[in-house]
């Protein structure tokens, strides 16, 4: 008895995190604990749970930033309390947001880069909602001014990211998704005529199609809409979803005209937290000129002190990502972005070459001309002896996260695989991946080591 009590007494001072009370049972899942716990122990236990997640540096499925310099970590920490919506309380954070907008407007060749409108968002999805809303409002005003019906808006696009399907459903717009043609990696201009009409609020062109990583031909799409206007009078603007390409094309493909150099491009969105290299939680929406953003969409908020215009779906939002975005723009400059993405593109192209020589694969996109990425499919899925889903599973055993998924409608019988190269994914790492793909293909096509025991009776 006495001994037991002594043990309890010392336990109070004993400070190993794995011997504290909270460590003695599974963490709460349904009910908040009654009492507080030691912060080091709580942190250690949560961190241990998080270790069950995939390793972000082997996640070749995501476009998003998974590596940042120490200075970004420091700035993020220092900005933990900055609320983006309190533009009067944090005027310098607001000023930094505005500088980013104008720098991006300039990078994308806005004719009014110094004065145009734009904003930060939580990502490209929110930016797409705002871009889509501006298109819808302008179309409706035009129709109403002409005394025409304005109740059946539609938006025309190719194989878009799910955010555009959300926009259409949330804001009551018919989404006219043009199916992917055989052999195409995105929307093709000659397909437009069958889909565009007087109720089309805009066409979304994608710079970096999520499925294939290729750019859609924005200039040719704009030219086709010029021709359609000449024939019908319908003046259909283009919004470019440059979620990933907006931070690649200006550096790797400076002569490609996809941005505000094309008069028909009214607005552009990009994800700062993808190839913008900012940490997760920031996107950008920029309009060609201020008059393209209908003023009815801008709210004047007075209760923060001062009279602040806001155009956003969220109210409170963290400011750190925006400050970190400004840091990356200043820190790297155009030359820094170019070098990092040239290295990434070289790595992607080397991987593409390897994959092409392995035997069972056909490249869909070889890392040239668009995003630093590779996409491929099985040349003969029926006779390969394995599926790309099997290959995904095999690679996962070594920690690699390489997704397999079907192409969008009309081509959805084709399953493809995609590898994205970003900042922090080195040539060396991808050389190791390449070896692992080769080994996995050998195992899978030989039917050994796949975890399925050989069944001799099966083959006769
Ligand atoms: C990732 C992506 C989006 C969505 O962007 P988030 O920043 O994740 O919200 C939209 N469009 C395209 C083409 C994308 O690649």
């Amino acid at each position: 008895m006495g001994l037991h009590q002594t043990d309890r007494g010392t336990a109070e001072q004993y400070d190993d995190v794995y011997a504290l009370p909270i460590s003695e049972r599974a963490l709460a899942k349904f009910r908040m604990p009654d009492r507080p716990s030691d912060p080091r122990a709580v942190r250690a236990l949560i961190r241990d749970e998080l270790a069950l997640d995939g390793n972000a540096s082997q996640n070749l499925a995501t476009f998003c930033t998974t590596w940042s310099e120490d200075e970004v970590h420091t700035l993020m920490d220092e900005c933990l309390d900055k609320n983006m919506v309190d533009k009067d309380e944090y005027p310098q954070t607001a000023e930094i947001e505005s500088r980013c907008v104008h720098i991006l407007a300039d990078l994308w060749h806005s004719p009014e880069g110094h004065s145009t409108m734009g904003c930060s968002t939580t990502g490209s999805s929110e930016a797409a909602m705002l871009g889509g809303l501006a298109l819808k409002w302008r179309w409706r005003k035009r129709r109403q001014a002409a005394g025409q019906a304005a109740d059946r808006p539609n938006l025309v696009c190719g194989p878009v990211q799910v955010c555009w399907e959300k926009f259409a459903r949330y804001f009551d717009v018919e989404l006219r998704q043009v199916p992917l043609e055989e052999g195409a990696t995105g929307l093709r201009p000659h397909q437009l005529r069958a889909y565009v009409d007087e109720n089309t609020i805009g066409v979304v062109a994608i710079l970096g199609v999520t499925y294939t990583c290729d750019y859609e031909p924005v200039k040719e799409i704009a030219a086709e809409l010029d021709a359609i206007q000449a024939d019908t009078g319908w003046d259909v603007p283009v919004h470019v979803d440059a979620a990933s390409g907006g931070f690649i094309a200006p550096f790797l493909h400076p002569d490609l005209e996809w941005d505000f150099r094309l008069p028909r491009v009214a607005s552009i969105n990009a994800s700062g937290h993808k190839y913008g290299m900012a940490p997760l939680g920031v996107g950008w929406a920029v309009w060609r000129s201020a008059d393209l953003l209908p003023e009815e969409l801008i709210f004047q908020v007075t209760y923060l002190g001062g009279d602040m215009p806001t155009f956003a779906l969220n109210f409170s939002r963290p400011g750190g990502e925006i400050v970190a975005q400004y840091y990356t723009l200043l820190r790297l400059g155009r030359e820094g972005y170019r070098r990092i993405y040239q290295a990434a593109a070289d790595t992607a192209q080397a991987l593409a070459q390897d994959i092409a020589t392995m035997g069972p694969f056909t490249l869909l996109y070889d890392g040239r001309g668009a995003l630093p990425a590779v996409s491929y499919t099985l040349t003969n899925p029926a006779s390969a002896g394995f599926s790309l889903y099997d290959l995904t599973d095999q690679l996962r055993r070594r920690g690699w996260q390489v997704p397999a998924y079907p192409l969008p409608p009309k081509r959805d019988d084709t399953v493809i695989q995609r590898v994205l190269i970003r900042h922090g994914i080195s040539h060396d790492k991808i050389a190791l991946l390449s070896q692992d793909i080769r080994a996995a293909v050998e195992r899978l096509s030989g039917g050994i080591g796949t975890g399925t025991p050989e069944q001799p009776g099966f083959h006769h």
Side-chain angles (χ1 to χ4, degrees), residues 74-134:
T74 310
L75 278 172
M76 288 295 287
D77 199 22
E78 287 162 358
C79 291
L80 211 59
D81 54 359
K82 304 268 192 210
N83 189 345
M84 210 52 243
V85 83
D86 292 344
K87 294 181 199 287
D88 211 48
E89 281 79 357
Y90 306 113
Q92 206 55 30
T93 304
E95 161 68 17
I96 284 173
E97 178 194 31
S98 162
R99 288 181 196 170
C100 289
V101 165
H102 296 301
I103 287 173
L104 293 177
D106 174 70
L107 189 66
W108 300 331
H109 300 95
S110 161
E112 298 176 21
H114 294 235
S115 61
T116 192
M117 300 284 266
C119 54
S120 66
T121 60
T122 43
S124 276
S125 301
E126 188 187 1
M129 306 290 152
L130 302 181
L133 282 170

Side-chain angles (χ1 to χ4, degrees), residues 63-64 121-128 159-164 206-210 241-245 269-274 280 282-283 371 418:
F63 290 90
C64 293
T121 60
T122 43
S124 276
S125 301
E126 188 187 1
V160 279
Q161 210 262 1
V162 68
C163 68
W164 291 102
I206 315 166
L207 207 71
V209 175
T210 312
D241 178 354
S244 39
N269 71 268
S271 296
H273 57 213
K274 289 185 176 175
L280 273 171
V282 61
L371 303 184
R418 185 189 72 184

Side-chain angles (χ1 to χ4, degrees), residues 232-262:
T232 64
W234 306 326
D235 183 4
V236 179
V238 171
H239 173 97
V240 182
D241 178 354
S244 39
F247 284 98
I248 295 288
F251 310 112
L252 291 189
H253 317 107
D255 297 330
L256 183 74
E257 291 176 39
W258 64 274
D259 52 15
F260 296 125
R261 279 170 286 186
L262 306 171

